[in-house]
Amino acid sequence: MPSVLHELQQAGESAEIWWDSSPLDFPRWRRKQLAEAPDDDTRSRWREQLDRFLCPATPERSLVRGVTTNPSLVAQSVLASPESWRNDIQELIRYQLTPGIESTFALVYEEALRRAAREMLPMWHATEGRFGWVSGQLDPRHMLDADLMLEQALRIARIAPNLMLKVPGTKQGYQVIRQLVARGISVNSTLSYTVPQFIACAEAVESGLAEARTRGIDTGRWRGVFTHMIGRFGANKDLRYEAAIRDIDISPSDLRWGELAVLKRIHRLIAQNGHPVKPLLSSLEVDDPGHGSTLSMHLEQSAGGAVAYTCKPQFIADVMRRESELPAFDSTAIGQEVPADVLEKLMWLPSFQRAYDPKGMRPEEFAHYGPFVSTYAEVCANTRKLIDFVAHQFQTAVSPARPLLLV
């Protein structure tokens, strides 16, 4: 029995499934998933599906086409295997002339990207750069400083040919995207929730590609994706607040339609204008059947589109457990309109208007938009966890261990 995600990919000629974690985390997650199967038949079916899920060494067999990661996911990966990383970090400390916490954190992060890229490199080579990409995100603490982001991006880009630079959707981030694309470096615009951000991304990419052509830079293996953090848009509390003070009844289904309305408009703009950027959906969610959907509106209402889906391990697990609830995908779903009454209701909400209208925000406003602010706080918090893990290695690197002054 093919998996739900396999059927989704079959529904759209250009659909892609990506893994939202390090590829090195997949074997451990796979073992855990199979161990939690409710019965032997289910375990056998899941094993067959997962055996064809992430296979970088045999690309023709692999469902997954690429990998996304970020400081939060790297932190989770490192902290899930502290013993295996502890010795590596101690070695990184020893082999620096003047070791510091920040410099060691940067080395740990780059090493995690190097390992992930090395795992996916056979797929990248076998498909001549079409698949096998690993998105490496820039330090979220620098997302308002174009110079620091560009400096880090150029350093990360040298790690492996299949690293795609993941740049935040800020005014400064789009400046960096233009400069990276002009150098022929593949990019992923992240922390993105709105049509105005997509417009800014497309303009930066097209300007960068034009400059690359002028400079004679080969872009034959260049790729660009726009990460629409779809589930985080509807989770924005501003929408519920704005509905409440206007006495508008907003259901979970309405919020899902709001997320999908932004995606459908972006997808339509790409089809109409030929923008060389592919939407990549992250923060995918399954739905409560009581809210009017069988499994996941994110999947069902985007089917048939030229869309990439980066799937968290937990999302994949949820879909696998509820696979019997899914009807056949409609390959025309991406082009279907949002119900008119729902869209009219949503247009009363300023936060939705700003996200849906191509001119709803100026670039300098992107970093102050509700979902951006909440995601930024989360990724910074997870970055601090990884920095603290590194700091702890400094404290235990001396004998006896003591609370060093951490600077």
Side-chain angles (χ1 to χ4, degrees), residues 363-384:
E364 54 268 26
E365 297 178 280
F366 295 159
H368 306 294
Y369 186 62
F372 188 105
V373 172
S374 58
T375 309
Y376 171 67
E378 182 180 323
V379 296
C380 283
N382 284 319
T383 300
R384 290 194 299 271

Side-chain angles (χ1 to χ4, degrees), residues 41 43 108 142 168 182 216 246 265 335:
D41 287 344
R43 183 175 296 106
V108 170
H142 300 158
R246 289 165 175 80
R265 174 161 275 192

Side-chain angles (χ1 to χ4, degrees), residues 47-103:
R47 180 179 291 109
E48 181 181 349
Q49 293 174 358
L50 294 176
D51 283 348
R52 294 178 286 125
F53 186 76
L54 178 54
C55 317
T58 53
E60 69 283 357
R61 179 180 177 83
S62 183
L63 177 65
V64 165
R65 298 287 189 253
V67 168
T68 50
T69 187
N70 56 48
S72 295
L73 293 173
V74 169
Q76 292 171 21
S77 181
V78 170
L79 296 176
S81 306
E83 292 305 322
S84 65
W85 276 95
R86 190 167 282 118
N87 291 336
D88 294 332
I89 294 173
Q90 295 289 356
E91 184 174 329
L92 289 172
I93 292 172
R94 288 196 300 272
Y95 284 90
Q96 293 178 75
L97 183 61
T98 55
I101 292 169
E102 284 290 340
S103 63

